[in-house]
Amino acid sequence: MVKACIFDLDGVIVDTAVYHFKAWKRLANHLGFDFTEEENEKLKGVSRVRSLQLILEWGGVEKTTKEQSKLADLKNSWYVEMIKEMKPDEILPGAEEFLLMVRNAGLKTALGSASKNSRTILEKVGLIELFDSIIDGNNVSASKPDPEVFLKGAESLGLNPADCVVFEDAIAGVEAALAGGMKVVGIGDSANLNGANLVVAGLHEMNLDKLYKL
Ligand code: BG6
Ligand code: MG
């Protein structure tokens, strides 16, 4: 029986991809090349440093580790400027309602995100109180598809992985959840989310019945 839901943030609770895209594009342009929306798609669920490395590869630019760290900080400063302005109307359809449904049913909730900005985002959109635990890029050393973020999420709630259902929009996150021994609901297009136990277009399509039937 499911005892908790662990949610990815970007693409599941809020749509921050557009802000990541604007900030990465500005950085690429600053370095003298362009960055497309198709490339941005490939960065879903990918950590900040790894995203930068991929972008530099696509742009054919080489940077030292020290330079990479400065560039990642620069991109993040632009990204933070944008997310500071986020409002509750940027919560994805059905996300708040499903979080409340799950909590009212007595289940626990956790966040399992690669982002190091997750607390800022949850505070800005007014959802931070709906999470019993927050595990994000600040708490893990291995990125998805490694299951660390979700295993730590289950542990922080005092539960076994098998008691938890993960909600994820990125294939790396679906793989991470499965590797951790959890059920996973994919958010988005089933063609891109192989292995998920169920795929829905968004949390507005979820309910307790579907959750208990997983
Ligand atoms: C993930 C996003 O949730 O967080 C990625 O899907 C992003 O695109 C990653 O790179 C890290 O986010 P941040 O906020 O720490 O730069
Ligand atoms: Mg995501």
Side-chain angles (χ1 to χ4, degrees):
M1 191 68 173
V2 49
K3 293 183 183 153
C5 293
I6 306 181
F7 299 89
D8 172 48
L9 177 67
D10 297 317
V12 173
I13 305 286
V14 286
D15 190 8
T16 44
V18 56
Y19 301 129
H20 282 298
F21 175 62
K22 282 186 184 163
W24 283 130
K25 187 174 166 70
R26 185 170 168 188
L27 190 79
N29 294 165
H30 171 81
L31 294 169
F33 59 93
D34 206 10
F35 173 63
T36 66
E37 279 191 73
E38 291 77 67
E39 286 166 337
N40 192 56
E41 278 299 301
K42 296 188 188 134
L43 303 180
K44 275 188 182 173
V46 178
S47 75
R48 191 184 307 164
V49 171
R50 184 65 197 137
S51 297
L52 173 68
Q53 290 166 348
L54 288 168
I55 291 167
L56 293 175
E57 271 175 46
W58 296 332
V61 171
E62 279 187 32
K63 296 284 175 192
T64 63
T65 312
K66 207 168 157 199
E67 287 166 334
Q68 287 183 20
S69 163
K70 277 196 187 157
L71 290 171
D73 286 351
L74 183 60
K75 178 267 178 177
N76 192 56
S77 69
W78 295 330
Y79 179 68
V80 169
E81 277 308 303
M82 292 185 273
I83 59 170
K84 265 186 358 202
E85 305 302 322
M86 285 183 83
K87 299 274 175 323
D89 65 6
E90 290 180 70
I91 299 170
L92 286 170
E96 185 167 14
E97 292 78 359
F98 186 63
L99 276 161
L100 287 168
M101 228 184 266
V102 163
R103 292 176 68 85
N104 289 338
L107 278 71
K108 298 275 186 208
T109 55
L111 192 83
S113 167
S115 174
K116 293 185 174 173
N117 293 298
S118 69
R119 283 180 186 269
T120 308
I121 295 168
L122 289 179
E123 271 164 18
K124 290 292 165 192
V125 302
L127 289 181
I128 198 147
E129 302 296 329
L130 296 185
F131 290 88
D132 294 301
S133 157
I134 294 174
I135 304 294
D136 70 8
N138 298 297
N139 312 105
V140 295
S141 47
S143 304
K144 300 170 188 177
D146 188 285
E148 184 183 8
V149 70
F150 296 133
L151 292 176
K152 284 202 167 150
E155 193 189 342
S156 70
L157 298 172
L159 295 172
N160 292 319
D163 299 328
C164 303
V165 173
V166 168
F167 293 81
E168 250 296 344
D169 71 315
I171 184 63
V174 169
E175 288 167 2
L178 295 172
M182 303 175 193
K183 294 259 168 70
V184 53
V185 176
I187 304 288
D189 186 345
S190 57
N192 309 323
L193 297 167
N194 260 338
N197 300 92
L198 170 73
V199 177
V200 293
L203 289 176
H204 58 285
E205 286 189 3
M206 271 310 292
N207 55 43
L208 292 176
D209 211 36
K210 288 185 187 174
L211 184 67
Y212 295 143
K213 277 191 189 140
L214 284 170

